[in-house]
Amino acid sequence: EHPFEAKIARLNIAVALVAVGIGGLFGLLQAWFRADFVRSFFSPTQYYAILTAHGVLMALVFTTFFTVGLFTWGVTRSLGRGFHDRRVTWGWFTLMTLGPILSFVSVLGELVSWIPLHATVLYTFYAPLEASPTFYVGLALLVVGSWGAGVDFLWSLYDWQQHNPDTRIPLQTFMAVATMLLWFLCSAGVAIEVVFFLLPWSLGWIPAVNPLLTRTLFWYFGHAVVYFWLLPAYFVWYSLLPKFSGGRLLSDSLARVVFLLFLLLSTPVGLHHQFSDPGISQGLKFVQMVSTYFILLPSLMTAFTVVASMEHGARQRGGTGRLSWLRALPWENPAFSGCALAGLIFAAGGFGGMVNAGLNINAMIHNTIWVPGHFHLTVGTAVALTFMAVTYWLLPQLTGKRLRHRTLAAVQPYLWFVGMVVMSNAMHREGLAGVPRRTSLPQYSQVTFNLPITGLGETHLQLVGGAALLFVSLCCFLVVVLQTWRGERGAMPLAVNGHVPEPLSGADAGPGILDDFRLWFAIAVLLVVIAYGIPIAQMIQHGLFAPGSAPIPA
Ligand code: HAS
C-alpha cells in the first residue's frame, strides 16, 4: 500500500538520522570543550564552527526532515491516498537534501583547510555575523524544499476533499496541515531576511545590513519555529501515545483547537527573544510578553489531555487507584516510554520557558547557559526523544522489517532521560550563576562564578557525564535503527497503514468551522500584522540597510 510514499517517508527519516548522528558527535565535543577537556585541540573559531554544525544539524536539519517524513506517513495513512505528482515530490526532496549538504560543507570550511568557505554564525545566523553565501543558499533550499512538502500535503488534502466534500478532515492530516501553515507563515520572515539582506550582503552586493531589522525578521521566525519542531511531537502524543498506552485519545476537537491555537499564537511573540535589544520600545516588548503567556495555553491543554489519555489507557490495562494506574502502563515498550519521558521532561522545560518569558526576569538568564538548558529539555528531549520513540514503531511499517535489538531499544529512552536530567540541571544552575552561553571562554577564565551549593567543578562534571550518557543513548538508538534497516526484507508487510484508534469523542462532536483553514490562516496573518506592523515600520524608518539601532521612542 502506497510504496512510493513509504519510500519518501523512509528517505526523509534516513536523512534525519544521518543529521542526528553527526550532530550528536559535535554535541559531545561541545560538552568536552565546555568542561575544558579538548579546549587546546581547537581554535576559538573552530569551536564556533563545531557549535554551528551541532545546532544546524540537530535543530534545523534533523527536525525538518523527520517532520516531513512523519507527516508523509500520517497524511498518506489518514487520507488513504498518495501524493498527486511524483515529480513534484522528488523535486522538493532533492532541494531539501542539497541545501543542508551545501550549508554543512560551508561550516566544514572552518575545520578543513582546503574548503574555501566559512560559517561560524551559529544556528541562529543573524547579523552582524556573516557566513559564505553557500551557507545561506543551503538554508534557503532547505526551507523552500520543505515548503514543497507542505504544498504536497495540501494538494493531497484538496484531492481528497473533492471526493469527500462533507467529511471532516482526518485528524492526522488536520494536524500536519495546521503545522505546515504555521511553517509557511513563520518561515516567510527568515526567507526575507536571507534572500533580501544576508545573501546580498555576503555576496558583497550591499555594503551593510540593518542588524536590528534582520534580527527582528529572524526572531519573527525564530520563536515560531520552535512550535514547528514541537507540533510533530504533539502529533505523536495526540494520535499515537494513547494507542501506545493501551487506550484512546479523549477528544478529537480538543486536539484540533490546540493546533489552531498554535497556528494563531505562535508567531506574534518573537520579540521575547529581544528583550535585551536596544531600539525596540518597552511597550512593544510588554505586549509580546503578554502574548507569550497566551501561547502557554495550548501546551497546558495538552498536558491535561496527554496525561488523561495515558490514564485511560492504563485503566483499560487494569490499572487502578489515584496514581498506581501509572504502574499498569507499558514502560518496557520504548515507543511508549520514550513519549512519556519526553512529556515529563517537557513539563520542566515549559516551566523554564515561563521564566524566560518574563520581561524583567529574562534579564537574569538571557545569554547565559540557562537558555541551552531550556532548549535541550524542549527541542532536545520533548521533540527528539519523541521522534526516536515513534521511530521504533514506525520503522518496521516503513521498511517491512522487524525491530531488532529490542532490549537495547527498551533501555535507550531511560538513558536519554537520565543524561538529559543531569546535563540540563548543570546548565540551568550554571546559568543562574551567570555563566555565559556560546563562548569559547578565554575572556571569562579570570571570572569567578558563584554557584549556590557547589562549584563549577561539580557542574562541569555533570555536564560531561550527562552528555556522555546522551551520546551512548544516541548510539544505542542508531544501532537499533541500522540493524533493523539491514534486517530481513518481508518480515512485516510494507505499508503506510498502522492502525490508529478513534478518539473517545470523535470529530463530529466538534463544530465544522474548526476545519476552515482559510479562516484561521487569515486570522493568523492579521495577528502578525498587528504585532509586527509597528516595530518593523519603525525599524525601516531608520534605514533598510543602514545600521539602525538608534533608540526609538515608546
Ligand atoms: Fe523556548 C528560548 C520561552 C517553549 C526552544 N526556546 C528558546 C530557545 C530555543 C527554545 C531553541 O520567552 C533558544 C533560542 C536561542 O538560541 O537563542 N519557550 C518559551 C515559552 C515556551 C517555550 C514560554 N522553547 C519552547 C519549545 C521549544 C523551545 C517548545 C522547542 C521545541 N524560550 C522562551 C524564551 C526564550 C526561549 C522567552 C528566550 C530566552 C532568551 O532570553 O534568550 C512555552 O511554549 C512552554 C509551554 C510548555 C508548557 C509545558 C506543558 C507540559 C506538557 C507535558 C505534559 C506531559 C506530561 C507527561 C506531564 C507549559 C505538554 C506525564 C508523564 C507521566 C509519566 C505521567
Side-chain angles (χ1 to χ4, degrees):
E1 231 182 301
H2 303 300
F4 172 72
E5 286 69 21
K7 182 177 189 168
I8 292 296
R10 228 167 35 228
L11 284 174
N12 276 287
I13 292 176
V15 179
L17 297 180
V18 172
V20 84
I22 306 175
L25 190 63
F26 282 120
L28 187 67
L29 282 179
Q30 263 318 300
W32 285 352
F33 200 98
R34 276 260 151 199
D36 270 348
F37 282 20
V38 291
R39 200 179 299 275
S40 51
F41 294 107
F42 299 103
S43 70
T45 319
Q46 287 173 330
Y47 161 82
Y48 288 113
I50 292 171
L51 186 51
T52 305
H54 175 56
V56 168
L57 288 170
M58 298 301 236
L60 304 180
V61 183
F62 166 58
T63 50
T64 309
F65 275 90
F66 199 93
T67 298
V68 168
L70 180 69
F71 285 174
T72 297
W73 168 78
V75 170
T76 311
R77 190 208 68 83
S78 61
L79 294 180
R81 62 183 307 129
F83 287 145
H84 191 95
D85 184 337
R86 292 186 179 187
R87 284 166 308 176
V88 173
T89 308
W90 280 123
W92 61 251
F93 178 73
T94 311
L95 287 184
M96 263 182 80
T97 311
L98 287 179
I101 295 176
L102 206 56
S103 299
F104 184 58
V105 171
S106 315
V107 180
L108 282 188
E110 223 51 80
L111 300 168
V112 184
S113 57
W114 50 267
I115 301 179
L117 301 169
H118 67 99
T120 50
V121 291
L122 308 173
Y123 80 112
T124 42
F125 60 86
Y126 43 64
L129 300 177
E130 190 192 29
S132 295
T134 42
F135 179 78
Y136 300 116
V137 172
L139 291 182
L141 291 180
L142 174 65
V143 171
V144 172
S146 66
W147 287 347
V151 168
D152 241 352
F153 302 150
L154 279 170
W155 205 347
S156 291
L157 174 60
Y158 177 79
D159 285 347
W160 178 87
Q161 281 180 324
Q162 299 307 304
H163 297 95
N164 304 274
D166 300 319
T167 318
R168 296 295 300 272
I169 301 174
L171 182 59
Q172 283 191 326
T173 298
F174 181 94
M175 295 191 278
V177 167
T179 310
M180 293 317 281
L181 289 178
L182 161 65
W183 178 235
F184 290 148
L185 184 64
C186 75
S187 52
V190 77
I192 295 173
E193 184 206 9
V194 166
V195 173
F196 293 103
F197 297 100
L198 299 184
L199 192 54
W201 177 50
S202 80
L203 284 166
W205 295 348
I206 52 174
V209 292
N210 175 339
L212 184 59
L213 177 62
T214 46
R215 262 174 78 87
T216 305
L217 284 170
F218 180 85
W219 284 121
Y220 162 88
F221 151 84
H223 189 75
V225 72
V226 312
Y227 299 116
F228 173 66
W229 302 332
L230 181 70
L231 290 187
Y234 277 14
F235 170 101
V236 174
W237 295 359
Y238 277 102
S239 68
L240 298 175
L241 180 56
K243 170 193 167 82
F244 299 156
S245 314
R248 289 157 67 185
L249 174 66
L250 284 195
S251 159
D252 173 294
S253 310
L254 192 86
R256 288 178 205 248
V257 169
V258 163
F259 274 71
L260 289 178
L261 283 173
F262 275 112
L263 173 58
L264 299 183
L265 300 173
S266 295
T267 320
V269 296
L271 287 191
H272 72 220
H273 286 261
Q274 294 179 274
F275 285 157
S276 303
D277 282 20
I280 304 172
S281 74
Q282 285 298 97
L284 289 171
K285 288 176 182 171
F286 182 81
V287 170
Q288 294 216 10
M289 174 188 83
V290 175
S291 348
T292 304
Y293 281 111
F294 278 111
I295 192 72
L296 297 176
L297 189 67
S299 283
L300 293 170
M301 287 162 73
T302 303
F304 165 77
T305 320
V306 168
V307 178
S309 300
M310 278 166 49
E311 181 180 345
H312 173 256
R315 294 200 187 279
Q316 299 301 303
R317 297 165 60 91
T320 51
R322 280 229 177 114
L323 285 178
S324 17
W325 55 265
L326 281 165
R327 285 205 298 262
L329 288 165
W331 293 103
E332 72 295 344
N333 173 359
F336 168 78
S337 64
C339 291
L341 296 175
L344 201 58
I345 286 251
F346 188 50
F351 175 74
M354 296 180 202
V355 171
N356 300 348
L359 182 50
N360 48 359
I361 207 169
N362 176 272
M364 187 172 73
I365 53 82
H366 184 64
N367 274 345
T368 70
I369 195 172
W370 163 288
V371 176
H374 162 68
F375 68 67
H376 279 85
L377 294 182
T378 50
V379 63
T381 300
V383 176
L385 188 53
T386 301
F387 286 0
M388 294 181 203
V390 76
T391 304
Y392 293 129
W393 182 78
L394 202 54
L395 199 63
Q397 291 181 51
L398 294 177
T399 55
K401 297 172 181 179
R402 235 173 256 294
L403 189 71
R404 294 172 73 191
H405 298 301
R406 284 165 182 267
T407 314
L408 207 57
V411 172
Q412 183 270 329
Y414 294 93
L415 278 179
W416 191 274
F417 179 80
V418 176
M420 195 53 89
V421 167
V422 172
M423 187 179 88
S424 104
N425 169 47
M427 288 175 155
H428 279 91
R429 283 174 54 210
E430 287 191 4
L432 287 180
V435 174
R437 67 183 285 203
R438 297 177 150 176
T439 169
S440 63
L441 273 176
Q443 68 272 39
Y444 292 102
S445 54
Q446 305 306 319
V447 182
T448 311
F449 296 102
N450 291 317
L451 263 72
I453 305 172
T454 52
L456 278 188
E458 181 249 345
T459 46
H460 277 359
L461 207 61
Q462 282 193 37
L463 224 147
V464 176
L469 277 179
L470 288 168
F471 189 71
V472 172
S473 171
L474 182 60
C475 291
C476 295
F477 169 70
L478 291 175
V479 166
V480 173
V481 169
L482 281 178
Q483 290 292 85
T484 300
W485 222 305
R486 291 179 56 226
E488 191 193 336
R489 213 178 269 277
M492 305 259 301
L494 172 65
V496 187
N497 65 356
H499 174 66
V500 178
E502 282 301 310
L504 290 169
S505 161
D508 292 327
I513 197 168
L514 292 178
D515 288 7
D516 188 349
F517 278 123
R518 283 195 190 91
L519 171 72
W520 301 114
F521 192 69
I523 300 178
V525 173
L526 183 69
L527 290 176
V528 162
V529 172
I530 295 173
Y532 272 96
I534 298 175
I536 297 270
Q538 286 181 340
M539 287 166 205
I540 291 176
Q541 274 173 16
H542 287 252
L544 254 189
F545 300 112
S549 53
I552 294 161

